[in-house]
Amino acid sequence: MPRTRWGVAQGDAGSAAIEAAIIFPALIMFVCMAIAGGRLVTSGAKIDAAAEDAAREASIHRTVGAAQDAAHTAATESLTDQGIKCASSSVAVDTGGLSVPVGQVGTVTVTVNCTVNLSDLLLPGVPGARTLESTATSVVDQYRQRGNE
């Protein structure tokens, strides 16, 4: 094969473009998958923190109504403060520990659900959103007075 001035065989012209056309889509897809995985992991950790904040806040209130309101507010504020934008979210509060008699240990459990949007990544095979759930439990002070509703 005749060689050009730079020592490259003329028959190899254009092969770099073909290699790039094969490699770049796979590379871009890999980067997008890494971003999606990172988004899910960091969002999961932040949702865990929101559930812990909500459970802690609910456990210090004396009435069921106040505990539920405080848990919803704490979870929403925690998600907002951490920059999590949920497509939809819900907070479920189990305040059974507030009804145990004073002197006995009770717990409050909060479950936070958050739907994380992935549709902006435009990856084939990746769902447009993924719902993440986190549950946290906090102990109610056994000697704290409890109110009735």
Side-chain angles (χ1 to χ4, degrees), residues 61-137:
H61 285 79
R62 294 182 177 164
T63 63
V64 171
Q68 289 178 339
D69 290 343
H72 285 275
T73 302
T76 302
E77 287 178 359
S78 180
L79 290 172
T80 302
D81 291 346
Q82 296 182 72
I84 297 292
K85 293 181 177 91
C86 300
S88 66
S89 65
S90 66
V91 178
V93 185
D94 176 11
T95 56
L98 294 176
S99 62
V100 299
V102 174
Q104 292 181 4
V105 176
T107 60
V108 174
T109 302
V110 175
T111 301
V112 176
N113 288 306
C114 176
T115 302
V116 178
N117 191 10
L118 299 173
S119 63
D120 58 337
L121 297 177
L122 300 174
L123 276 174
V126 174
R130 177 106 188 250
T131 301
L132 302 176
E133 178 179 290
S134 180
T135 301
T137 301

Side-chain angles (χ1 to χ4, degrees), residues 127-146:
R130 177 106 188 250
T131 301
L132 302 176
E133 178 179 290
S134 180
T135 301
T137 301
S138 184
V139 176
V140 176
D141 183 2
Q142 65 182 346
Y143 297 111
R144 184 180 182 107
Q145 181 182 0
R146 295 170 182 122

